Structure formats: C-alpha cells, structure tokens
Amino acid sequence: EIVLTQSPATLSLSPGERATLSCRANQNVSSYLAWYQQRPGQAPRLLIYDASNRAIGIPARFSGSGSGTDFTLTIRSLEPEDFAVYYCQLRTNWYTFGQGTKLEIK
Amino acid sequence: QVQLVESGGGLVKPGGSLRLSCAASGFTFSDDYMSWVRQAPGKGLEWVSYISSSGTTLHYADSVKGRFTISRDNAKKSLYLQMNSLRGEDTAVYYCARDLRPGWGYLDYWGQGTLVTVSS
C-alpha cells in the first residue's frame, strides 16, 4: 500500500512570505501526484497535477516539483486567500490522499 | 461552465441506506470518468469510488467495498452512489468530482458536497 505523508501538519506564515509544503510517498510514484487547496467550507480545488503542471486558472505563484518519493508545493508570495488546507493525492493506488497541511496566518 | 450538484444526503440510522445523486452540466458527461470523495467532519479527504465514462469499470475503497455501489446515467447526466449498511464512520460530506482527463485520476471539478450523517 502506498502512503502519502505530508509535512508539516501546520505551517504558520505571514502574507508575502514563501510557503514550502512537502509530500512524501513510501515508494516510487513517478510523477503521478497532484496538489489540492481546500478553503474552509469549500470543495477542494485542483492546483497542480503530474507533480509540476498547473491546472487551468491557477496563479503562477503556485508551483510543484519532485518525482519518485519526494514532492514539494511552493507558494511564492502568500496572498490572504492562500491560507487554507493543502492535500497531495496520488493518481494511482485508488487516488490516495495525504493527510493535509494547514497553512495558517502567523 | 462545469457544474456538479450533489443531493440526497441526510440523517440515517446505522444499518440504513441512502442514495446520493450528482447532476452534471456544462461538459460532455458521457466522456468523463467520475468519482465520489468524502470528508468526515474535521478530517481529510478520502476517495470512495470511481466509474469509467461508459460505466463498465468501477473501483471502490476497501472501507466501502460490498456496501456502496456507484453508477451513472449518461442520458440524464447523473452520477449516483447507493450506500447500504451504513455505519457511523460513513458520516461525512460526500463530493462528486470529475477526472481532469478520462482515467487520469486527477479531479478538476468538484461539487459543493452533500452531508451524510449516520446516527441513531
């Protein structure tokens, strides 16, 4: 079974700062990884797919990198609306999700 | 524009049944794979099931296998989830979602969700 582990569980930053979120798989998953953002009371939104491709309409400040077992979501300069929970997700192994990272305002 | 609207949630007793629906519009429903994903209160996302565009390929999470059935009606542009033998741990918001591309497994459009509460 492939498990995705996200870190940190909570990240406290200020608007304008750079955010770096991590997702680690317990075995090689190639580049078959996506990132989602979920704001309170809203459905998730696809940000990044295949590790580094931005979905339609996603601002350029969001970027994804990594392959194999280690992946990173970077938000270059945080806007107020970016404070949310972020999930990574595997497109194989029946769409496994990570447990999430909460990005909160410091 | 793409819209997914879930309905059918509510309060049900343990052991009971419920059928969720998802009405799709704004895209060619019959071309796309669809999924159900759930989120227990205050918890993370859990994929539940997916169905291929034709309805011939189905997959379920182990936690719901044998109890839930996914189906679709392409003529009605609708997705369904029949949930039987419900348990307390099935309490969650249930989202329907569309694959970015058929069979890719990335979910690019989501509904607003419907809440299922299993309690006596």
Side-chain angles (χ1 to χ4, degrees):
Chain A
E1 180 190 357
I2 303 177
V3 176
L4 298 178
T5 302
Q6 293 187 240
S7 61
T10 303
L11 183 59
S12 299
L13 293 170
S14 301
E17 290 193 293
R18 179 188 187 98
T20 303
L21 287 68
S22 174
C23 178
R24 177 165 290 178
N26 63 345
Q27 55 184 279
N28 189 335
V29 299
S30 186
S31 296
Y32 298 145
L33 192 102
W35 290 93
Y36 297 82
Q37 175 194 67
Q38 188 177 32
R39 296 171 176 149
Q42 295 186 16
R45 176 172 72 144
L46 178 66
L47 300 175
I48 302 287
Y49 64 93
D50 277 352
S52 61
N53 295 293
R54 267 191 306 277
I56 292 173
I58 302 304
R61 65 180 181 275
F62 291 91
S63 63
S65 62
S67 67
T69 60
D70 289 298
F71 300 86
T72 300
L73 174 70
T74 300
I75 310 172
R76 193 172 59 228
S77 177
L78 287 166
E79 299 286 343
E81 62 268 25
D82 297 337
F83 292 92
V85 179
Y86 292 83
Y87 295 94
C88 57
Q89 178 236 340
L90 191 60
R91 65 166 276 201
T92 58
N93 198 55
W94 316 137
Y95 303 11
T96 299
F97 287 92
Q99 83 280 14
T101 289
K102 182 180 181 180
L103 178 57
E104 65 176 23
I105 298 177
K106 189 174 182 180
Chain B
Q1 73 280 20
V2 173
Q3 270 202 308
L4 298 168
V5 179
E6 302 93 337
S7 61
L11 176 63
V12 61
K13 288 181 169 53
S17 298
L18 213 54
R19 188 194 196 206
L20 305 184
S21 299
C22 172
S25 61
F27 65 103
T28 307
F29 181 74
S30 57
D31 285 349
D32 287 313
Y33 280 45
M34 300 293 297
S35 284
W36 288 98
V37 177
R38 68 184 180 183
Q39 186 169 36
K43 302 296 184 184
L45 301 170
E46 180 189 16
W47 169 79
V48 172
S49 180
Y50 85 69
I51 185 168
S52 63
S53 49
S54 64
T56 54
T57 300
L58 316 174
H59 283 289
Y60 299 94
D62 287 344
S63 57
V64 306
K65 202 172 293 184
R67 301 187 299 122
F68 289 13
T69 302
I70 191 171
S71 63
R72 64 191 296 160
D73 185 331
N74 285 343
K76 293 184 177 179
K77 298 183 181 180
S78 292
L79 176 72
Y80 306 102
L81 186 68
Q82 177 67 43
M83 303 186 296
N84 298 330
S85 303
L86 283 161
R87 307 166 180 166
E89 55 265 36
D90 296 319
T91 294
V93 173
Y94 285 74
Y95 296 100
C96 68
R98 185 189 81 162
D99 261 28
L100 175 64
R101 292 176 196 171
W104 265 37
Y106 301 128
L107 306 172
D108 66 341
Y109 283 96
W110 298 61
Q112 84 290 349
T114 187
L115 176 62
V116 172
T117 303
V118 183
S119 175
S120 55

